[in-house]
Amino acid sequence: FDIGIVLAKGTIISLITAFFLMPSLIYMFDSLIKKTTHKNLIKESKWIPKLLYKTRFVIPIIALGLIVSSYFIQRNNDFGYSEYNFINESKSISESKTKINDAFGNRNLFSIIIPKDIIKEQQLIQNIQTLVTTEQVPLQSITSATIFYTKFDETTFVNFLTSYGISTEQTNQIMIIFQLMESQFSQTEFSIMDMMAFISQTSALSEAEKMQFAPFFAQFNQVLSSLSSDNYHRLILSVDLDIESKKTFGFVEKLYNSIKQTFPDDSYLLGESVAIYDIKEVVYTDYQKTSVLVIILIALAILFSFKSISIPIILVLLIQGSTWINMSVPSLLNQNLLFIGYVIVSCIMMGATIDYAILYANCYVNNRKERIPKEAMAHAFEETKYTVLTSGTILVVAGYALSFISTIPSIAIFGDLIGRGGLISILLVLFVLPQVMLIADKWIIKKVKAIE
């Protein structure tokens, strides 16, 4: 949303500057502009229009085949949806991350919020343990409120206390209580809640002895309060998985389904990977809807401007074709792209290509009022090539400059996309669009009083 607002605001400011400020500046510096005028660096090239006319039935077919194949190729692109790629590609950050993982392990945390139901919660924990085994995901820990209600024997309880960082001295004191309960109740298994209730209620311990267990109570009460509220319990799942990867997204989807099977209503799955997964699902759908809407609006604008159905179809196909060709290259090179970068580059290419295409189409239609198709095509080519090459070259240089300067590959790829996209737009507008306009001339010029 923010990027959309910035792009729209930038366009509005550019229009205001171009229409209201630039004419005044040109008028003010008119004499200086005349004094510094130089010869055209781009010479007139009569052979190019002739070549375009001769190959008018060949190049468009090749271009159409390239556009169609690119559409299917670019659909195989792999996208990133977070800053995870930057972390991996930045040397200093990556080294720090590696040191942390070596010391503490690669911890990917998930928080699961469910209604209070101990039986179902235990069932969900079993399902999660089965899932991580099936998916071959290294399980680090599952922390839940059920641990306070789970029955332990002496051995498992000692192991549990050790895993929670309880000191040996405290563990020995707690186990004395455990043994006291065994003799008093003739049982061998007790839960933490059983022990806490026994310590607070028994007359076998003095108040001073009970106070010795205050740190134990405080530690576990703190954990319990973070896992339980009046109506909900929280499970904290820790696994050894990357924050963002295909395997992670697959695990998130199956984990979500497993939770919904046990708790169909009023359950929630949270975590960094879950947030990125949600972004992936929502952003892609939003972008597809936005693209369709933008294409329709562009087609309507061109339709009302040129009063021709053929021109909007040709120009929209050209816009989309330039984007598909550009985005097919990362797929062929097996490059990962940040989705937000893909969106921005698509917007830039769409704006640039449609500008160039409308410029040529307008020149062609105007020339057809006085010239035959072949001559109109040649004149429109000469009239627009200076603007298209100047503007397009700036885009190409800016893009590749970003690519060469950036030391982070994910950013450098944006530069490649912008630079290559500008080049593709120039080639399609100057060397494919003129031929397509020639072929579709009789449909384009229906309402224009043109020379036949």
Side-chain angles (χ1 to χ4, degrees):
F1 176 84
D2 290 339
I3 290 173
I5 294 297
V6 169
L7 289 172
K9 186 169 59 179
T11 303
I12 293 169
I13 293 171
S14 296
L15 287 172
I16 293 172
T17 304
F19 282 122
F20 296 102
L21 177 61
M22 190 175 72
S24 302
L25 293 175
I26 291 175
Y27 181 76
M28 287 173 60
F29 294 99
D30 178 69
S31 58
L32 183 61
I33 291 172
K34 288 180 179 178
K35 289 179 181 179
T36 56
T37 300
H38 59 76
K39 294 181 180 180
N40 286 331
L41 298 177
I42 305 173
K43 303 297 181 182
E44 186 176 352
S45 49
K46 294 182 179 180
W47 66 272
I48 295 180
K50 290 180 180 179
L51 180 64
L52 291 177
Y53 185 78
K54 288 181 181 179
T55 59
R56 65 189 183 279
F57 296 110
V58 178
I59 294 179
I61 294 174
I62 296 173
L64 182 61
L66 183 61
I67 289 171
V68 172
S69 59
S70 296
Y71 167 75
F72 291 101
I73 293 171
Q74 59 91 32
R75 294 180 67 180
N76 297 321
N77 272 316
D78 286 327
F79 293 107
Y81 298 86
S82 71
E83 74 283 0
Y84 188 70
N85 284 0
F86 293 107
I87 292 174
N88 283 345
E89 292 168 356
S90 173
K91 185 178 179 181
S92 60
I93 297 176
S94 180
E95 288 176 354
S96 300
K97 181 173 176 288
T98 302
K99 290 179 181 178
I100 292 171
N101 289 342
D102 289 343
F104 301 102
N106 187 18
R107 295 171 62 83
N108 192 344
L109 296 175
F110 296 87
S111 184
I112 305 167
I113 311 298
I114 53 176
K116 270 188 176 180
D117 189 326
I118 297 299
I119 296 175
K120 283 189 174 182
E121 188 171 337
Q122 290 174 333
Q123 180 185 342
L124 175 61
I125 292 172
Q126 291 177 352
N127 293 342
I128 292 173
Q129 289 171 334
T130 302
L131 175 63
V132 296
T133 302
T134 304
E135 295 298 311
Q136 297 182 338
V137 174
L139 175 64
Q140 293 174 327
S141 65
I142 300 179
T143 306
S144 76
T146 58
I147 201 69
F148 294 90
Y149 302 92
T150 302
K151 302 288 185 180
F152 293 99
D153 59 26
E154 284 195 41
T155 303
T156 54
F157 193 53
V158 169
N159 293 336
F160 170 77
L161 294 174
T162 303
S163 67
Y164 264 85
I166 305 298
S167 67
T168 304
E169 183 181 352
Q170 276 188 318
T171 300
N172 292 335
Q173 289 178 336
I174 295 168
M175 291 314 296
I176 292 174
I177 301 300
F178 197 97
Q179 292 162 3
L180 182 61
M181 291 175 69
E182 283 180 326
S183 62
Q184 186 168 335
F185 296 108
S186 300
Q187 295 178 15
T188 58
E189 293 184 345
F190 300 98
S191 69
I192 295 174
M193 298 302 290
D194 292 336
M195 295 188 66
M196 292 171 71
F198 175 79
I199 293 172
S200 62
Q201 296 171 9
T202 183
S203 58
L205 297 173
S206 65
E207 289 301 319
E209 289 173 325
K210 290 180 181 181
M211 286 301 296
Q212 292 178 355
F213 296 96
F216 169 75
F217 280 162
Q219 188 169 350
F220 281 100
N221 279 328
Q222 184 179 7
V223 175
L224 182 59
S225 64
S226 69
L227 299 174
S228 179
S229 66
D230 292 339
N231 300 314
Y232 294 93
H233 275 178
R234 179 171 69 146
L235 278 72
I236 300 176
L237 171 65
S238 177
V239 294
D240 186 358
L241 268 181
D242 288 333
I243 297 298
E244 181 181 358
S245 68
K246 285 185 177 180
K247 185 175 182 179
T248 302
F249 289 151
F251 177 75
V252 169
E253 186 174 351
K254 290 176 181 177
L255 178 60
Y256 181 80
N257 292 335
S258 180
I259 295 167
K260 286 300 178 183
Q261 286 176 2
T262 312
F263 293 93
D265 303 315
D266 211 17
S267 59
Y268 308 90
L269 176 62
L270 309 167
E272 190 173 358
S273 293
V274 180
I276 297 170
Y277 175 82
D278 286 346
I279 290 171
K280 171 180 174 291
E281 295 298 305
V282 173
V283 168
Y284 186 79
T285 304
D286 283 356
Y287 178 69
Q288 296 300 316
K289 292 177 182 177
T290 304
S291 296
V292 172
L293 178 62
V294 168
I295 288 171
I296 292 172
L297 293 175
I298 288 174
L300 288 174
I302 297 171
L303 176 65
F304 290 128
S305 178
F306 287 93
K307 298 177 181 178
S308 168
I309 297 176
S310 304
I311 293 179
I313 294 173
I314 293 170
L315 299 193
V316 165
L317 180 60
L318 194 75
I319 295 166
Q320 282 300 116
S322 64
T323 303
W324 291 337
I325 293 171
N326 192 16
M327 294 302 171
S328 67
V329 176
S331 178
L332 294 172
L333 297 178
N334 199 28
Q335 295 174 324
N336 290 325
L337 300 173
L338 280 175
F339 188 79
I340 197 67
Y342 166 68
V343 172
I344 294 171
V345 171
S346 297
C347 290
I348 293 171
M349 281 200 63
M350 190 176 292
T353 307
I354 195 62
D355 280 350
Y356 307 155
I358 289 175
L359 178 64
Y360 178 86
N362 188 58
C363 286
Y364 179 82
V365 171
N366 288 334
N367 275 281
R368 276 292 282 121
K369 296 176 183 179
E370 301 174 353
R371 296 178 174 85
I372 62 174
K374 181 180 179 180
E375 293 177 354
M377 182 269 290
H379 277 79
F381 177 85
E382 290 298 328
E383 289 172 11
T384 58
K385 72 178 184 181
Y386 300 105
T387 304
V388 173
L389 285 173
T390 302
S391 180
T393 302
I394 291 171
L395 193 62
V396 171
V397 171
Y400 282 116
L402 175 63
S403 175
F404 292 137
I405 293 171
S406 177
T407 56
I408 300 178
S410 294
I411 300 296
I413 289 175
F414 296 165
D416 284 338
L417 289 172
I418 293 171
R420 185 170 57 241
L423 188 59
I424 292 169
S425 296
I426 292 172
L427 294 174
L428 288 180
V429 170
L430 290 183
F431 300 103
V432 177
L433 181 59
Q435 297 175 318
V436 176
M437 298 287 282
L438 274 178
I439 295 171
D441 180 82
K442 62 181 179 180
W443 294 287
I444 293 172
I445 310 299
K446 275 186 178 180
K447 294 185 178 180
V448 177
K449 292 182 180 179
I451 292 178
E452 300 299 336

